[in-house]
Amino acid sequence: MAIRTVATTPYDDQKPGTSGLRKKTRIFAERPHYVENFVQAVLDVMGEVRGATFVLGGDGRHFADEALRRTLAVLAGNRVGRVIVGARGLFSTPAVSCVIRRRRARGGFLLTASHNPGGPDGDFGIKVNVANGGPAPESLTRRIHARSRELRRYHVADLPPDLDLARLGEVRLEATVVEVVDPVADYADMLEGLFDFAAIRRLFAGGFRMAFDALHGVTGPYARHILEERLGAPAGTVRRGDPRPDFGGLHPDPNLTWCRGLVQEVVAEGRLDFAAACDGDGDRNMILGRGIFVSPCDSLAVLADRADDAPGYRGRVRGVARSMPTSRALDRVAQAHRFAFFETPTGWKFFGDLLDAGLIQLCGEESFGTGSDHVREKDGLWAVLFWLQLLAASGESVAAILHRHWQRYGRDWFSRHDYERLDPEAAAGLLADLRGRLAALEGTVWHGARLVQAEDFAYRDPLSGEEVAHQGLRFRFDDDSRITLRLSGTGTEGATLRLYLERYGREGLMRDVGEVLAPVAARARALCEIERRFGRRGPDVVT
Ligand code: VG1
Ligand code: CO
């Protein structure tokens, strides 16, 4: 066995998006050296990596096994000191973040395309995390992309063909120790330190009934261990708990569209007290109560409002943040509690500095992402446990908690409409057009409401001073509604236009979100000339 330097030709499309490098699986699988080039580009911009520790794993999707071995070979080829690998190559995204922090690793590679479907015709991806446990910040992803475009060689170690990544323990590969670990243990211990497991155990012992749908992603083994073994939830609470390379043909994205069956059972038919689901790599969560869907924006606001119910947060929350298109429900809680408040661009990487500096303790996004300073990723099972904690502490139902919240703060009806596989030029044209007319649009009237403010969201990180522009267009109307639009940075086919719709009110709190937002949706379609530009009459996905 030896370390070799291999000549390669650079690719110009290895630009990380909102969350890692994401492409069709076949691009990763078929283009020569595609994985090696990217991993080497990352290591080249990280400075001296000899002797450093890295964490490696993924959601077990198609091609992950091969990508894992190839990533490991490049890490060993660069003489890193230690690679901590999840057994069978599995590691959820928040668990990697946890382990990077606990083991003081330099960073991590996560082999996942997150909520995107998998399989040979689906998507694959590589997320890159840094020493704080969070996603690589913009400044680093820019350098990774630049480096990948000029890369002419990578270093690689030959892996022994019998290297067994299912067996726990250590193996030496040249200068590198490969340590295969149980991917669940550290993470479960961490959660047990944040929440009152005894109280949640009593809840289950009292006959509380829930379902957790892992959607054949990576969270199955985590949820089984935490919910069924540590917390005593009945066997079978965890559904679709075995990770599968193609997610059983499902879209591993927990939302109203892709979890229709669970929503029917719990929200429409009211057959369980509580239900939750997570995405492929375990960083997203959906929360359902008997008869009610909790919008991620409301979920974040409720957790912030009632953080004192959880031992890990009692008296400790001083600041909160949300991404720009997330509803303003959190803002109202922040004001009432006098929390510091920040509004960031879409993508978890923008929360990292604020969390590191202790300026915020809780944060979230409308895209089913909620988290805190316990790691530097959004964390699906953490959110599920936080809700279980609230239910155990209060003895109330999910619906009662949410209704009381709305009575106190008013309600922000929120919905996101996605238009997928659009012609990228037409989509870019729409944004450019509107961007050029922002000032002229102010004061115009759309379906009965006056547009009072139009802006192109830009952000300056208050700590690093790093600036990013053109993060989305925002329109505020005089009926207390908002429309935000931006293009997705995680899609792999054509362009995806996201229209974020919201409206605030204090009356008729039980009105249906579709009904309240219908005029806002019509206004958004008119403003964007959806039908004329794209020939579409309605969205592909509504969440
Ligand atoms: C989407 C979401 C964003 C989230 C990102 C990664 O990005 O909108 O809020 O942070 O996915 O989530 P975009 O650019 O497609 O809108 V995950 O679970 O894929 O890491
Ligand atoms: Co994800």
Side-chain angles (χ1 to χ4, degrees):
M1 214 189 327
I3 289 177
R4 296 175 288 124
T5 296
V6 178
T8 189
T9 37
Y11 292 96
D12 63 7
D13 68 345
Q14 297 194 322
K15 184 180 183 346
T18 313
S19 180
L21 179 68
R22 224 171 271 192
K23 303 276 176 200
K24 287 279 157 212
T25 307
R26 87 183 90 77
I27 291 187
F28 277 96
E30 289 169 11
R31 291 196 185 163
H33 318 290
Y34 200 76
V35 171
E36 289 84 353
N37 274 24
F38 184 69
V39 175
Q40 184 67 58
V42 172
L43 297 179
D44 283 352
V45 301
M46 277 192 166
E48 180 60 78
V49 294
R50 272 179 296 180
T53 298
F54 285 85
V55 183
L56 174 61
D59 60 8
R61 69 180 57 218
H62 181 77
F63 190 66
D65 281 347
E66 186 179 334
L68 187 124
R69 298 180 82 88
R70 286 163 60 180
T71 302
L72 188 55
V74 175
L75 286 165
N78 284 270
R79 300 177 185 280
V80 309
R82 180 175 291 264
V83 185
I84 301 170
V85 187
R88 297 190 296 131
L90 297 178
F91 242 138
S92 80
T93 291
V96 165
S97 189
C98 164
V99 172
I100 289 174
R101 296 169 67 76
R102 288 200 161 189
R103 301 287 303 272
R104 298 184 191 287
R106 176 73 69 81
F109 290 86
L110 294 95
L111 308 171
T112 174
S114 196
H115 58 285
N116 296 26
D121 299 320
D123 294 344
F124 191 76
I126 304 181
K127 295 185 179 187
V128 177
N129 283 30
V130 294
N132 74 350
E138 278 281 312
S139 51
L140 191 68
T141 56
R142 274 186 219 139
R143 285 164 55 215
I144 293 169
H145 184 215
R147 179 68 190 145
S148 72
R149 298 175 73 163
E150 60 185 31
L151 194 88
R152 300 249 159 229
R153 57 95 188 98
Y154 60 82
H155 309 297
V156 68
D158 295 318
L159 300 188
D162 60 347
L163 180 65
D164 181 359
L165 295 173
R167 201 174 53 230
L168 306 186
E170 294 186 355
V171 182
R172 184 167 274 283
L173 273 184
E174 300 294 328
T176 304
V177 175
V178 177
E179 179 184 345
V180 180
V181 300
D182 168 5
V184 176
D186 277 349
Y187 175 80
D189 290 348
M190 173 191 65
L191 289 185
E192 188 150 7
L194 295 173
F195 302 110
D196 182 354
F197 271 35
I200 301 174
R201 226 176 275 128
R202 284 195 295 275
L203 186 71
F204 283 119
F208 177 85
R209 289 190 54 220
M210 81 167 275
F212 176 86
D213 194 341
L215 297 171
H216 292 305
V218 76
T219 51
Y222 292 86
R224 274 199 189 123
H225 177 70
I226 295 168
L227 296 174
E228 297 183 5
E229 290 170 25
R230 291 204 188 188
L231 291 168
T237 295
V238 177
R239 302 177 182 178
R240 297 194 270 214
D242 52 320
R244 293 193 192 168
D246 66 345
F247 305 109
L250 303 167
H251 209 121
D253 196 2
N255 61 36
L256 295 173
T257 298
W258 301 114
C259 295
R260 218 165 260 153
L262 192 64
V263 173
Q264 173 71 22
E265 177 182 351
V266 183
V267 179
E269 295 163 16
R271 286 199 271 132
L272 294 169
D273 297 304
F274 181 66
C278 285
D279 73 334
D281 65 330
D283 53 358
R284 296 185 175 207
N285 74 90
M286 179 177 70
I287 302 291
L288 307 172
R290 189 188 299 278
I292 201 156
F293 161 73
V294 184
S295 107
C297 307
D298 282 343
S299 175
L300 173 63
V302 169
L303 299 189
D305 190 41
R306 306 179 64 135
D308 282 346
D309 282 357
Y313 299 91
R314 195 163 295 146
R316 209 172 66 73
V317 177
R318 291 182 309 281
V320 294
R322 63 163 171 81
S323 68
M324 178 266 295
T326 303
S327 92
R328 296 162 295 175
L330 181 68
D331 313 24
R332 307 177 203 288
V333 173
Q335 204 179 14
H337 289 262
R338 298 173 191 279
F339 294 153
F341 172 80
F342 299 85
E343 186 178 45
T344 57
T346 291
W348 209 261
K349 57 188 157 196
F350 295 104
F351 294 129
D353 272 2
L354 301 172
L355 291 163
D356 283 350
L359 291 176
I360 61 169
Q361 286 70 41
L362 296 174
C363 50
E365 299 190 273
E366 51 63 44
S367 54
F368 298 80
T370 331
S372 88
D373 57 358
H374 68 298
V375 290
R376 293 294 179 274
E377 287 281 1
K378 53 189 187 265
D379 187 345
L381 273 163
W382 169 89
V384 175
L385 288 191
F386 211 136
W387 270 93
L388 287 170
Q389 172 80 75
L390 298 189
L391 298 171
S394 66
E396 292 177 315
S397 67
V398 174
I401 289 177
L402 206 56
H403 293 162
R404 188 125 61 76
H405 189 89
W406 293 337
Q407 270 155 15
R408 173 161 180 209
Y409 291 103
R411 181 171 175 187
D412 294 272
W413 284 269
F414 178 90
S415 182
R416 192 179 89 194
H417 290 192
D418 291 340
Y419 291 82
E420 299 180 334
R421 291 176 300 276
L422 301 179
D423 169 31
E425 261 174 51
L430 161 66
L431 268 88
D433 260 21
L434 288 174
R435 193 172 283 134
R437 292 195 287 133
L438 290 178
L441 283 167
E442 288 185 356
T444 54
V445 173
W446 300 81
H447 290 260
R450 184 176 302 278
L451 197 166
V452 290
Q453 194 188 14
E455 61 167 333
D456 184 2
F457 188 75
Y459 180 72
R460 182 172 193 279
D461 187 305
L463 293 141
S464 69
E466 233 176 75
E467 290 182 32
V468 286
H470 307 314
Q471 297 296 304
L473 302 179
R474 283 213 291 206
F475 303 94
R476 196 161 57 76
F477 295 85
D478 66 357
D479 62 348
D480 229 337
S481 68
R482 293 201 315 174
I483 296 170
T484 302
L485 55 119
R486 56 181 283 282
L487 298 180
S488 159
T490 60
T492 58
E493 251 182 283
T496 296
L497 173 67
R498 303 204 194 281
L499 295 181
Y500 307 85
L501 314 172
E502 67 177 282
R503 184 169 184 184
Y504 176 70
R506 298 203 65 102
E507 262 138 53
L509 295 174
M510 302 306 289
R511 270 178 303 156
D512 174 68
V513 64
E515 171 201 325
V516 172
L517 292 180
V520 185
R523 207 177 286 163
R525 282 196 301 273
L527 191 64
C528 299
E529 303 172 281
I530 295 285
E531 199 167 348
R532 181 185 73 75
R533 285 178 194 270
F534 307 113
R536 301 283 180 90
R537 312 203 71 174
D540 298 285
V541 177
V542 173
T543 57

